Amino acid sequence: MAQQKKIRKAVFPVAGLGTRFLPATKAVPKEMLTVVDKPVIQYVVDEAAEAGIEHFVFVTGRGKAVIEDYFDIQYELEQMLRERNKNAELTLLSNILPKAGTASFTRQQVPLGLGHAVWCARDIVGNEPFAVLLPDMIMSSEKSCLKGMVELYEQTGGNVLAVEECDPEQAHKYGIVGKGAPVGDGFKITEMVEKPAKGTAPSNFFINGRYILQPEIFKILETQERGAGNEIQLTDGMLTLAKTQEFAAYHFRGETYDCGAKDGFILANLAFALQRADIRPAIEEPLKALISSLK
């Protein structure tokens, strides 16, 4: 196989309104809600950086300027930390700051769905393959999900989707893929079905919010008709792209937390807090006591 173009850019669709977290998200973007002591978006950006992403493209909307501010220098805060010799805190802030020129922000003026949000990044991404990471989904694993996807892409080329297994009885709730021949840490995708009717799903592998796509998707999304929810759906665009290009699935074997839902957000806070050596000793016993008190 000819050498594939490197995956250098990642798109983060962060224009969503976060209505499931009202009233908090009336003033705070859902991507800036914290899991332990880091905003949700930071976990997703860290995952992309671990996978070798060099340019971070944020598709924002009104009320999301704080995300841009977060990935910038805050002079007053840093000066105060220097005056107080808070070197650990200064290092922490420095480590989350993207290098100059590696973060871009573009607007999705009208909320027309995920497909439309991805299309809004077309001029920044250009004519090269790219990753898409849904900012609601944060993951815990030894090797980051996107890194595993990039490794599979280097073997297969084309397009790569991350998938996980669900209870077959729950397959009707997800975007499901058909399982073909094995390849690397995954398999070839034979079909994609968005929320199949009960008992008709081709497998129990669902798409979990991570994508590597070829730039031809932009032309498709440009004329894509509105689908479910009267929005431009990325799945519809991928189905069209699949007629001319191959798709592979990376089988992610870790934990995924949907921080766009209250239960997933709470579970993420507990899971990531228990992974922290500086926090676990203080919360482990109270958590055990709380669980044992459940009737």
Side-chain angles (χ1 to χ4, degrees), residues 62-276:
R62 287 183 297 278
K64 299 297 183 95
V66 67
I67 298 175
E68 188 168 352
D69 290 340
Y70 174 78
F71 289 106
D72 198 358
I73 291 172
Q74 221 243 47
Y75 291 102
E76 296 83 356
L77 173 61
E78 295 184 13
Q79 181 61 29
M80 181 272 291
L81 293 174
R82 289 190 188 94
E83 291 173 355
R84 298 183 183 182
N85 293 317
K86 299 282 189 179
N87 295 321
E89 288 81 359
L90 279 168
T91 299
L92 176 66
L93 294 179
S94 176
N95 288 341
I96 67 171
L97 195 66
K99 293 181 181 179
T102 65
S104 297
F105 297 82
T106 188
R107 283 289 186 104
Q108 182 188 25
Q109 288 92 344
V110 182
L112 291 178
L114 177 58
H116 182 260
V118 171
W119 179 76
C120 288
R122 64 198 181 282
D123 287 339
I124 301 174
V125 172
N127 189 31
E128 60 182 283
F130 63 102
V132 177
L133 296 91
L134 300 191
D136 290 344
M137 314 301 286
I138 64 174
M139 300 174 177
S140 178
S141 59
E142 185 174 342
K143 176 169 63 179
S144 80
C145 182
L146 187 60
K147 185 174 182 180
M149 293 174 67
V150 169
E151 291 173 355
L152 181 58
Y153 165 81
E154 290 170 350
Q155 300 175 50
T156 65
N159 306 271
V160 178
L161 310 181
V163 300
E164 298 179 45
E165 291 184 82
C166 67
D167 183 335
E169 294 297 318
Q170 302 298 313
H172 65 283
K173 298 180 179 180
Y174 303 101
I176 300 293
V177 302
K179 184 178 181 182
V183 56
D185 287 330
F187 52 86
K188 295 289 187 179
I189 292 176
T190 59
E191 59 181 308
M192 289 178 275
V193 185
E194 185 65 28
K195 296 182 179 179
K198 282 190 175 183
T200 67
S203 76
N204 66 326
F205 285 95
F206 70 94
I207 303 169
N208 73 358
R210 300 290 187 268
Y211 313 78
I212 290 176
L213 299 170
Q214 294 294 322
E216 287 77 12
I217 192 71
F218 292 125
K219 279 293 183 183
I220 294 171
L221 294 172
E222 187 170 354
T223 58
Q224 180 73 51
E225 294 183 1
R226 297 191 188 190
N230 199 32
E231 296 180 337
I232 298 172
Q233 297 293 338
L234 182 60
T235 301
D236 293 340
M238 292 192 301
L239 285 169
T240 301
L241 185 60
K243 295 176 182 178
T244 57
Q245 294 186 6
E246 289 192 344
F247 277 73
Y250 170 69
H251 186 183
F252 176 64
R253 295 174 173 85
E255 296 294 331
T256 300
Y257 302 94
D258 181 0
C259 290
K262 296 181 181 70
D263 54 347
F265 179 73
I266 293 168
L267 288 171
N269 270 279
L270 292 172
F272 281 89
L274 289 171
Q275 292 176 16
R276 292 271 296 267

